[in-house]
Amino acid sequence: MAPKVDPQNLRKTFGRFRVLIVGRANAGKTTILQKVCNTTEKPEIYNAKGDKVCDMFCTMRRRGKHDITNEMVFKSNPGFVFHDSCGFEAGSVGEFEDMKKFIAERANTTKLEERIHAVWYCIPMDDHCRTFQRSEEKFFSECDTGHVPVIVVFTKFDALHPVAFGELEEQLIGLSQEECLKRIDECVEELFTSTGVLDRLYAPENLARPKCYVRLQSELFSPRLICLVCKLTWVIRDMDEVDTGCDTLLENTTFALDDKELCLCLVSTQQSNLELCIKCAIE
């Protein structure tokens, strides 16, 4: 079926593609947004009236005074608008209630240019023993995002590789590099499963359940992580071979959207993933 909206008029229909990004401090949220917009610069901040917020905002934000309605926009791709819900993980009831209210209002508003289109919930894996904390429990059990899809982003996923290596260290001696990588990958999957995070995210009693999830690598490690143990040189893998960018996130977000025209809006907004354009066209 042909789209109801001419692709050239998508921006006029939907405005900019708007994302609420949620997660604890140091979960890698800013890095994700920079990669999505293909930049290393900091975003510009605007209030709900469209006025640019002064530099003092950054200082206020670090002190915990944060307005979720403020918009983050990167010069490299102003077609994206981001909202950051930081604050409630510290236990602030007010911050959490503000976020619930924001989601309820922006998920259902009749003003298309103000509507949020997706929620990215970031969960870092650099402390896999504490993956699902009180902040995650509150969000997924109490926040109803309605038709707005939630995509869980497991950040810093490569932090599980050194843990797996430590558990298997003696067993890897004498094995080929290929076999080492296989054993490590298997152990990483076991570590991820043992967290029980997926069971808790998809619990039937949750008001919000992820439409999908992605696993992103951080850039905490050098391009080749080489471990010398008992004269064994073991290379985890080249960073080029893992998802250090956000193509997977953009692709999963695109196909998590129920509205086909909105899918086209996201595809036209992102500027770096030609393969996604092709996949969306085929779909």
Side-chain angles (χ1 to χ4, degrees):
M1 180 180 296
K4 294 176 290 185
V5 180
D6 188 327
Q8 295 181 353
N9 296 321
L10 286 172
R11 294 288 176 81
K12 295 181 181 179
T13 303
F14 294 103
R16 297 171 293 176
F17 194 86
R18 193 176 297 269
V19 177
L20 170 63
I21 188 163
V22 188
R24 307 168 220 153
N26 300 315
K29 292 179 291 182
T30 301
T31 301
I32 288 174
L33 302 186
Q34 289 172 327
K35 285 184 175 294
V36 166
C37 294
N38 194 28
T39 184
T40 58
E41 296 181 353
K42 298 296 183 183
E44 295 182 334
I45 311 296
Y46 298 87
N47 61 23
K49 297 180 180 180
D51 299 324
K52 190 171 182 178
V53 180
C54 62
D55 294 338
M56 188 174 292
F57 171 80
C58 297
T59 303
M60 294 172 64
R61 186 177 177 188
R62 286 195 294 268
R63 293 173 181 172
K65 300 177 182 179
H66 175 64
D67 188 347
I68 193 174
T69 64
N70 284 335
E71 302 177 347
M72 297 188 294
V73 179
F74 292 88
K75 290 182 178 180
S76 61
N77 193 340
F80 280 111
V81 179
F82 302 105
H83 296 269
D84 186 358
S85 67
C86 67
F88 80 91
E89 74 273 8
S92 170
V93 176
E95 292 273 7
F96 182 73
E97 292 302 321
D98 287 345
M99 182 186 64
K100 287 177 63 177
K101 180 181 178 181
F102 177 83
I103 292 175
E105 292 178 349
R106 294 300 188 95
N108 301 295
T109 179
T110 56
K111 297 180 179 179
L112 294 180
E113 68 274 11
E114 295 182 1
R115 186 175 297 177
I116 57 172
H117 302 126
V119 177
W120 293 343
Y121 198 109
C122 301
I123 301 179
M125 296 301 296
D126 53 348
D127 186 3
H128 71 283
C129 295
R130 301 176 65 248
T131 300
F132 201 87
Q133 299 184 9
R134 176 58 179 162
S135 54
E136 283 75 40
E137 182 179 345
K138 283 179 66 65
F139 178 89
F140 288 98
S141 64
E142 300 181 29
C143 290
D144 187 356
T145 64
H147 66 278
V148 178
V150 178
I151 295 89
V152 171
V153 187
F154 292 106
T155 62
K156 307 179 183 181
F157 200 82
D158 49 356
L160 292 179
H161 285 87
V163 179
F165 180 77
E167 293 190 2
L168 299 175
E169 185 175 319
E170 294 184 359
Q171 302 176 36
L172 300 179
I173 299 174
L175 299 181
S176 66
Q177 177 178 309
E178 181 179 356
E179 185 62 26
C180 286
L181 294 176
K182 179 181 177 182
R183 295 280 188 91
I184 288 293
D185 285 340
E186 291 173 349
C187 187
V188 165
E189 293 301 322
E190 292 173 1
L191 288 170
F192 180 63
T193 301
S194 68
T195 65
V197 64
L198 293 183
D199 292 334
R200 301 185 71 176
L201 287 173
Y202 289 97
E205 64 270 19
N206 288 347
L207 288 179
R209 278 180 282 175
K211 195 74 176 283
C212 57
Y213 67 89
V214 298
R215 309 192 300 194
L216 299 182
Q217 312 293 335
S218 69
E219 293 180 332
L220 297 175
F221 305 107
S222 58
R224 297 181 70 88
L225 180 60
I226 301 177
C227 303
L228 298 175
V229 180
C230 298
K231 297 183 180 180
L232 168 69
T233 301
W234 173 65
V235 183
I236 287 185
R237 56 168 54 86
D238 288 330
M239 291 293 287
D240 291 340
E241 297 176 3
V242 297
D243 189 3
T244 57
C246 289
D247 288 352
T248 303
L249 174 57
L250 288 171
E251 181 175 329
N252 278 268
T253 302
T254 300
F255 293 108
L257 299 168
D258 293 329
D259 190 301
K260 296 300 182 183
E261 287 74 38
L262 191 54
C263 291
L264 292 174
C265 180
L266 174 54
V267 170
S268 68
T269 300
Q270 65 86 32
Q271 301 173 348
S272 60
N273 192 345
L274 178 60
E275 184 178 354
L276 175 58
C277 299
I278 297 172
K279 286 183 178 180
C280 190
I282 295 174
E283 181 73 15

